[in-house]
Amino acid sequence: DADVTQTPRNRITKTGKRIMLECSQTKGHDRMYWYRQDPGLGLRLIYYSFDVKDINKGEISDGYSVSRQAQAKFSLSLESAIPNQTALYFCATSNYMNTEAFFGQGTRLTVV
Amino acid sequence: AQSVTQLGSHVSVSEGALVLLRCNYSSSVPPYLFWYVQYPNQGLQLLLKYTTGATLVKGINGFEAEFKKSETSFHLTKPSAHMSDAAEYFCAVTLRNAGGTSYGKLTFGQGTILTVHP
C-alpha cells in the first residue's frame, strides 16, 4: 500500500458543484500539503498544515478550503468548482526533521 | 521569497548521450534543493537533495547534481541517458530555519520534460 493515498484518482465534475479530494498517510508525518500541477507552471502550493490545529494558506488558496481531520488525514475542498480549477492535485507529507516531501499519486480533476 | 527557474521546458537527447537539466534559484538565505521526477500517471519521486556538506550530490538511477552557490544553480546531470529516463523533472527549493530544519513548503520550477530517442 502507498504511504500517501489520494482519493479519488480521477474525477469529472460540473461547474458549481462542491467536491472534496481526500488524502491519508501512514508515514506518521506531522506536516501535510496540497499542491496543484498545471502544464508549464510546475506545482504550486494551495494549503499546508503543520499539525492538526494548524492550517495555512499557500500561494494559490482562493477558491479552495481544507480540513485536517486527524494527523493522518488532510482533505481539500472546492466549494464551487470552476473550469480553471481543472488540474492535477497532489497531496504531500513531511516531517519537521526531514527535508524531503513524499507525494501521493495525484488526483486528476476535470471541471466541465 | 524564493523562486526557481528551469531553463528549457523540453530537452531531447539520444540514448547514451549526456543529460543536462538546468535549474537556477533565487533565495535570500541558502536553501535546501531538490530534484524530483514524475513518470506518466504517477506522483513525484525524489531523485536527490542537497542540504549541507558536499556540493556534488548523487541520487538514484545514476543522476547527480552540483550545488553552486556563486551561480545560484543546481543543475542535474546523467552521463548516459536511458530510455527509461524519459519523464518530467522538477527542481524545487525550501528554506531552512535558524535551527537547521526545513520549513517544509516547496517552491517548484516549471518542469522539464526529458525525451530520450533510440
Side-chain angles (χ1 to χ4, degrees):
Chain A
D1 288 342
D3 293 324
V4 184
T5 302
Q6 293 183 232
T7 55
R9 291 292 312 279
N10 290 280
R11 180 72 181 266
I12 300 174
T13 192
K14 293 183 177 181
T15 298
K17 292 291 187 181
R18 184 180 188 276
I19 183 170
M20 178 182 291
L21 310 183
E22 298 186 347
C23 176
S24 62
Q25 52 116 344
T26 59
K27 298 193 72 68
H29 288 167
D30 47 359
R31 298 177 173 184
M32 298 187 73
Y33 312 82
W34 277 104
Y35 290 90
R36 166 179 171 161
Q37 182 183 4
D38 297 279
L41 296 179
L43 281 77
R44 293 176 291 167
L45 183 63
I46 306 172
Y47 270 96
Y48 63 102
S49 168
F50 283 359
D51 65 42
V52 175
K53 297 182 179 179
D54 176 75
I55 299 291
N56 303 281
K57 293 182 177 181
E59 180 185 358
I60 53 165
S61 60
D62 287 349
Y64 302 94
S65 63
V66 292
S67 173
R68 184 83 182 264
Q69 301 94 328
Q71 187 195 35
K73 296 184 182 295
F74 191 39
S75 58
L76 175 72
S77 293
L78 287 67
E79 297 300 325
S80 180
I82 57 177
N84 75 2
Q85 291 177 314
T86 293
L88 186 55
Y89 291 84
F90 285 103
C91 175
T93 74
S94 70
N95 183 297
Y96 84 98
M97 289 298 295
N98 297 325
T99 52
E100 69 186 89
F102 296 84
F103 286 81
Q105 296 287 80
T107 295
R108 185 168 298 280
L109 176 66
T110 303
V111 183
V112 298
Chain B
Q2 63 272 28
S3 65
V4 179
T5 301
Q6 291 182 236
L7 300 178
S9 58
H10 290 81
V11 171
S12 180
V13 300
S14 298
E15 192 172 21
L18 172 71
V19 175
L20 171 60
L21 305 183
R22 300 177 187 273
C23 173
N24 288 87
Y25 69 91
S26 172
S27 176
S28 56
V29 296
Y32 292 131
L33 296 153
F34 307 85
W35 276 99
Y36 282 88
V37 61
Q38 183 182 28
Y39 298 104
N41 300 314
Q42 294 189 25
L44 277 71
Q45 178 184 4
L46 182 71
L47 270 179
L48 49 80
K49 63 181 180 182
Y50 170 77
T51 54
T52 57
T55 56
L56 181 62
V57 180
K58 295 187 184 299
I60 62 172
N61 301 337
F63 284 93
E64 62 182 35
E66 186 171 12
F67 169 56
K68 293 187 176 180
K69 184 178 178 181
S70 62
E71 299 177 8
T72 61
S73 69
F74 191 56
H75 302 332
L76 181 71
T77 60
K78 182 174 181 178
S80 177
H82 192 273
M83 296 294 289
S84 61
D85 295 326
E88 188 163 15
Y89 293 79
F90 293 95
C91 181
V93 304
T94 189
L95 295 180
R96 65 184 72 197
N97 61 29
T101 56
S102 166
Y103 273 117
K105 300 180 296 176
L106 290 167
T107 298
F108 285 87
Q110 303 91 324
T112 298
I113 296 173
L114 176 66
T115 302
V116 182
H117 296 288

